Amino acid sequence: MLKKFLTPATILIILGALIGTSLVLYAWRLPPFTSSIEMTDNAYVRGYVTTLSPQVSGYVVDVPVQDYQSVEKGQLLARIDDRIYRQKLAQAEAALATQRAALDNSRQQETAAQARIASSEAAVDSVNADLEQAESQSNRQDSLIRSGVVATSAQEQAHAARDRARAAMAQAKAAVEVSRQDLQTIIVNRNSLEAAVANAQAAVELAKIDLSNTEIRAPRDGKLGEVGVRVGQYVAAGTQLMAVVPKDVWIIANFKETQLAGMTVGQPVEIRVDALDRKVLKGRVERFSPATGSEFSVIKADNASGNFVKIAQRMGVRIAVDDTTEAASLLTPGMSVTVRIDKSVGPA
């Protein structure tokens, strides 16, 4: 009876079912195929790719670099025609000189006003002496009139001289006050002149910045991507000219959330690089993403629609490349890699 059921076809079906079940259990890491090793091929090399753009507009007059060339920090990459910006700087410097001259003139006016105040105060002293003399003379004439020694005409002349001296004193004091007000006006206007000088200085600095921005230089050491700018091309602020790629690289591996349990910062990582004939490099877990990739997408998933299907999300894991071999130096942003992490091994 048993032989009747164990036909070759039946045996093949049973073997196929066992193999299929085993493959499913292995794929989902279910017993008896559970493992502490997690791997993913959803991983790529990342780096600081800096796209360079001008901050000023104009015609490009020089591009001394080529595609994929190694450059050093501060190296000239492109130059924009700077004639207009040099003239703007000269114009700003001339305006600054004019404002400084006006400020110097204000200081000179202050000195002159202080001299006028001193002169007016001296005039007050002189008129005060004349007033004291006129009042003394008037008092003497009044005494002589009471004694009947002199005529009334002399008394009238003395009174008139006294009144003129008093008027001169009032005029002299008014002149002192006018001089002081002139000085105050000069001091008040000084603030606006100093502000004008500061504004002109800022304009000069802005003109210098614009002039320096006509030269596009490498922000750091690295290699260039494709140089998209050409001599004679008109570029505006924000036009993409080229990109600089520094040597610093790292790995971003996107693990499923079901793989993360037991992963910790510092655990060693094996990195296999497709472009380097699957050569194995060494690395370590550096940090974990604060959210899954779906949370950073532009269009968020609406899980409240009633037809929800649970899907394992992926979490980005940043991996530092610790390998110092020549192969590691060949890593460039965008390369595909496969990473393996043994969760049973503690941080290095």
Side-chain angles (χ1 to χ4, degrees), residues 147-190:
S147 302
V149 176
V150 296
T152 57
S153 60
Q155 182 188 29
E156 292 174 353
Q157 291 177 356
H159 286 179
R162 181 195 61 189
D163 293 340
R164 286 193 299 271
R166 288 176 177 175
M169 173 61 73
Q171 185 178 12
K173 289 182 177 179
V176 170
E177 185 61 26
V178 169
S179 297
R180 288 175 177 169
Q181 292 301 322
D182 289 343
L183 176 60
Q184 189 62 29
T185 300
I186 293 171
I187 293 174
V188 170
N189 291 335
R190 177 80 48 76

Side-chain angles (χ1 to χ4, degrees), residues 208-336:
K208 288 180 178 179
I209 292 173
D210 285 342
L211 180 59
S212 65
N213 285 336
T214 58
E215 294 183 346
I216 293 87
R217 297 184 176 274
R220 55 189 302 182
D221 297 345
K223 281 189 175 183
L224 296 179
E226 291 187 7
V227 179
V229 63
R230 300 291 182 265
V231 173
Q233 178 182 350
Y234 181 84
V235 296
T239 303
Q240 295 186 2
L241 305 182
M242 63 193 77
V244 176
V245 183
K247 296 180 180 179
D248 299 335
V249 294
W250 60 92
I251 308 296
I252 296 296
N254 298 299
F255 284 95
K256 293 181 180 179
E257 55 186 326
T258 54
Q259 297 176 286
L260 296 176
M263 285 190 191
T264 58
V265 173
Q267 283 179 327
V269 181
E270 287 187 0
I271 306 166
R272 293 183 183 271
V273 187
D274 295 349
L276 302 179
D277 197 22
R278 306 289 294 175
K279 186 175 181 63
V280 178
L281 302 178
K282 296 179 181 179
R284 56 185 165 80
V285 176
E286 195 170 33
R287 62 181 71 102
F288 294 88
S289 172
T292 62
S294 61
E295 292 299 308
F296 295 110
S297 64
V298 177
I299 301 176
K300 299 292 189 297
D302 184 6
N303 295 328
S305 58
N307 55 356
F308 168 71
V309 177
K310 183 177 181 180
I311 300 175
Q313 301 297 312
R314 289 187 179 269
M315 179 83 74
V317 179
R318 176 166 169 147
I319 299 170
V321 180
D322 294 334
D323 207 305
T324 57
T325 61
E326 182 180 356
S329 65
L330 298 177
L331 292 176
T332 57
M335 284 184 173
S336 298

Side-chain angles (χ1 to χ4, degrees), residues 124-164:
V124 169
D125 293 338
S126 175
V127 171
N128 186 55
D130 293 340
L131 176 59
E132 290 178 353
Q133 182 181 7
E135 288 180 344
S136 297
Q137 182 66 24
S138 175
N139 292 333
R140 282 195 298 270
Q141 292 298 325
D142 290 342
S143 298
L144 292 175
I145 284 294
R146 286 193 296 269
S147 302
V149 176
V150 296
T152 57
S153 60
Q155 182 188 29
E156 292 174 353
Q157 291 177 356
H159 286 179
R162 181 195 61 189
D163 293 340
R164 286 193 299 271

Side-chain angles (χ1 to χ4, degrees), residues 96-109:
L96 175 60
T98 300
Q99 296 299 334
R100 283 177 173 170
L103 182 59
D104 292 339
N105 183 53
S106 175
R107 293 193 179 99
Q108 182 61 34
Q109 289 177 352

